[in-house]
């Protein structure tokens, strides 16, 4: 089932998230719905707060990134209860966008490499290190679990520049090519 994607201005995007516990909900069904939603929107990551759920869950799917980031094409997995436990001092700037902020893309500086501890869709604990654009997607989605969106991390000058666009999204004066809640 395709879920509506909550847009900038919705309180769900700023709310703290809670751990997901085995048995409290049908996690497999939620992940399937989130994947269907992400595929329909042609995005590369989706976090639970973006579908109105304050849980520590996100998915990544690099299928759409093909030519730009070929190493991400097979990057498709779920992260439950994640915690970034290490970040490199080396940083890198990439242009980011977000399904909750349609029409905005800005350069964001973040650590080049991160190590994350998380549970997979079967609640098995894993620890993995990601670099490059994979690390970028993971950090962007992780931010959603902390109540942040990527424009929180851009320079004050750029934030001033996108302020009007953000206001328009929050006021519902924006169009998205996918189902959304504004
Ligand atoms: Ni996002």
């Amino acid at each position: 089932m395709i879920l509506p994607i909550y847009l900038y201005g919705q309180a769900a995007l700023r709310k703290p998230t809670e751990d997901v516990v085995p048995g409290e909900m049908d996690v497999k069904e939620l992940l399937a719905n989130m994947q269907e939603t992400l595929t329909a929107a042609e995005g590369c990551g989706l976090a639970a707060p973006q579908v109105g759920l304050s849980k520590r869950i996100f998915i990544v799917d690099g299928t759409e990134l093909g030519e730009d980031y070929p190493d991400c094409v097979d990057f498709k997995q779920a992260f439950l209860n994640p915690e970034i436990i290490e970040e490199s001092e080396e940083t890198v700037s990439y242009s980011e966008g977000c399904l909750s902020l349609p029409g905005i893309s800005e350069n964001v500086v973040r650590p080049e490499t991160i190590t994350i501890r998380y549970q997979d869709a079967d609640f098995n604990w894993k620890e993995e290190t990601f670099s490059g654009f994979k690390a970028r997607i993971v950090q962007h989605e992780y931010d959603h679990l902390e109540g942040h969106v990527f424009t929180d991390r851009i320079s004050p000058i750029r934030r001033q520049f996108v302020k009007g666009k953000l206001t328009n999204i929050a006021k519902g004066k924006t169009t998205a090519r996918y189902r959304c809640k504004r």
Side-chain angles (χ1 to χ4, degrees):
M1 183 175 66
I2 293 176
L3 307 167
I5 294 176
Y6 285 48
L7 297 190
Y8 183 87
Q10 291 290 318
L13 293 175
R14 298 302 196 180
K15 262 174 81 175
T17 51
E18 290 176 348
D19 282 349
V20 54
V21 184
E24 77 171 295
M25 66 166 84
D26 191 338
V27 171
K28 290 278 166 70
E29 188 187 1
L30 172 70
L31 292 173
N33 288 341
M34 285 175 70
Q35 181 61 53
E36 198 181 337
T37 303
L38 182 58
T39 302
E42 298 176 346
C44 58
L46 187 70
Q50 292 181 278
V51 292
L53 190 66
S54 300
K55 287 286 171 186
R56 295 189 69 77
I57 300 171
F58 67 80
I59 59 169
V60 300
D61 181 357
T63 312
E64 294 286 335
L65 296 170
E67 286 175 15
D68 293 335
Y69 302 101
D71 62 313
C72 291
V73 170
D74 299 326
F75 189 41
K76 190 172 180 177
Q77 64 186 82
F79 294 79
L80 274 50
N81 303 325
E83 191 189 348
I84 291 178
I85 55 174
E86 225 177 295
E87 296 179 338
S88 64
E89 274 178 37
E90 191 192 350
T91 56
V92 62
S93 177
Y94 282 113
S95 175
E96 293 187 25
C98 179
L99 293 173
S100 294
L101 281 66
I104 299 178
S105 64
E106 289 289 326
N107 286 327
V108 185
V109 177
R110 297 185 192 265
E112 155 78 9
T113 303
I114 55 109
T115 299
I116 189 167
R117 225 172 83 80
Y118 66 97
Q119 286 173 294
D120 66 14
D122 296 308
F123 287 95
N124 297 311
W125 282 105
K126 305 250 167 113
E127 194 176 305
E128 268 183 286
T129 298
F130 297 108
S131 292
F133 208 70
K134 286 184 187 177
R136 177 50 53 117
I137 301 170
V138 166
Q139 290 176 87
H140 176 114
E141 299 313 322
Y142 188 87
D143 259 1
H144 279 299
L145 306 186
E146 307 289 307
H148 298 306
V149 294
F150 77 93
T151 48
D152 300 346
R153 295 191 180 275
I154 63 179
S155 69
I157 290 171
R158 292 306 302 174
R159 205 174 309 134
Q160 196 59 35
F161 184 78
V162 299
K163 203 174 158 190
K165 285 185 185 177
L166 288 172
T167 304
N168 281 342
I169 297 172
K171 285 183 176 169
K173 288 188 210 158
T174 188
T175 50
R177 60 188 195 286
Y178 38 85
R179 195 178 163 210
C180 48
K181 183 171 169 69
R182 58 186 95 209

